[in-house]
């Protein structure tokens, strides 16, 4: 008889139910929170890298003529845009591309962390972006994002973005000292 009343008392006691439910749900909620934090950090790095390519294209397109030193300074500003993320894996390239004889041809190119495009090489542009005789500034950026936690995004994730902008003050933005790399 005593045994049966003890079992009834224990099965009817609900004082620890909340603690048990919390112990079961807490690890799932913590993992969800950590995953969302990691995804948001990766998304923020990707958006900043996209802003870098847009900013480079915008600043170069505002000029009639730029120098290699000016472009290098603009690339440095791109590094500032990436803060607080490390910039060691940020790679940038800006090129002037003109439509000549129905073919998109590189007029000049400058890069940091990647190889500049060869002068007079061809490039594939989005359809109907420019017509014969027009030019466009093409800014490209890539960024290798390494998550601090590596829960959801283990290893490196490469983000890349290409931004196209027409020159604003001239038909073509020139760069007289953006020479092709020495062979």
């Amino acid at each position: 008889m005593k045994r049966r009343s003890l079992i009834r008392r224990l099965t009817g006691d609900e004082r620890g139910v909340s603690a048990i439910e919390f112990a079961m749900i807490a690890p799932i909620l913590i993992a969800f929170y950590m995953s969302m934090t990691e995804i948001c950090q990766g998304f923020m790095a990707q958006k900043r890298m996209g802003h870098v390519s847009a900013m480079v294209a915008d600043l170069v397109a505002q000029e009639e003529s730029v120098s290699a030193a000016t472009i290098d300074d603009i690339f440095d500003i791109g590094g500032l845009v990436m803060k607080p993320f490390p910039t060691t894996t940020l790679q940038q390239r800006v090129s002037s591309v003109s439509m000549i004889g129905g073919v998109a041809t590189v007029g000049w190119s400058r890069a940091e962390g990647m190889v500049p495009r060869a002068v007079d090489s061809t490039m594939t542009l989005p359809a109907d972006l420019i017509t014969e005789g027009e030019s466009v500034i093409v800014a490209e950026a890539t960024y290798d994002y390494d998550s601090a936690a590596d829960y959801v995004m283990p290893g490196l994730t490469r983000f890349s973005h290409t931004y196209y902008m027409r020159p604003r003050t001239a038909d073509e933005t020139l760069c007289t000292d953006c020479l092709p790399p020495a062979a």
Side-chain angles (χ1 to χ4, degrees):
M1 189 91 158
K2 272 190 168 186
R3 188 177 225 181
R4 187 174 263 178
S5 66
L6 177 64
I7 292 173
R8 279 189 187 169
R9 273 191 325 187
L10 289 176
T11 57
D13 191 358
E14 295 180 2
R15 288 182 288 181
V17 172
S18 295
I20 291 171
E21 287 174 350
F22 178 77
M24 291 170 60
I25 293 174
I28 296 169
L29 291 177
I30 292 169
F32 180 72
Y33 175 77
M34 295 296 286
S35 298
M36 289 305 298
T37 301
E38 187 172 356
I39 288 170
C40 287
Q41 284 292 312
F43 181 72
M44 187 184 319
Q46 189 264 344
K47 292 303 282 181
R48 286 180 189 247
M49 185 268 319
H51 290 302
V52 166
S53 66
M55 181 264 324
V56 168
D58 184 43
L59 290 175
V60 172
Q62 290 180 30
E63 303 295 327
E64 287 182 26
S65 178
V66 293
S67 67
T70 301
I71 293 174
D72 292 343
D73 290 341
I74 291 171
F75 287 157
D76 290 342
I77 296 169
L80 295 174
V81 171
M82 285 301 297
K83 295 293 181 187
F85 298 101
T87 59
T88 53
T89 61
L90 177 64
Q91 300 175 351
Q92 304 174 74
R93 176 171 49 209
V94 63
S95 307
S96 176
V97 180
S98 299
M99 187 67 73
I100 301 170
V103 178
T105 306
V106 175
W108 57 263
S109 184
R110 184 91 176 152
E112 181 178 84
M114 62 174 59
V115 177
R117 293 186 180 276
V119 173
D120 294 330
S121 64
T122 60
M123 185 174 176
T124 303
L125 297 176
D128 300 325
L129 181 65
I130 58 175
T131 60
E132 187 66 33
E134 294 181 334
S135 70
V136 66
I137 298 297
V138 180
E140 302 163 274
T142 65
Y143 185 71
D144 293 334
Y145 175 72
D146 187 18
S147 173
D150 288 337
Y151 292 119
V152 177
M153 300 169 72
L156 291 176
T157 303
R158 174 162 282 192
F159 300 123
S160 64
H161 187 76
T162 303
Y163 199 85
Y164 306 93
M165 177 140 320
R166 291 177 188 242
R168 294 189 193 163
T169 57
D171 291 335
E172 180 179 3
T173 301
L174 302 174
C175 183
T176 55
D177 61 346
C178 293
L179 300 174

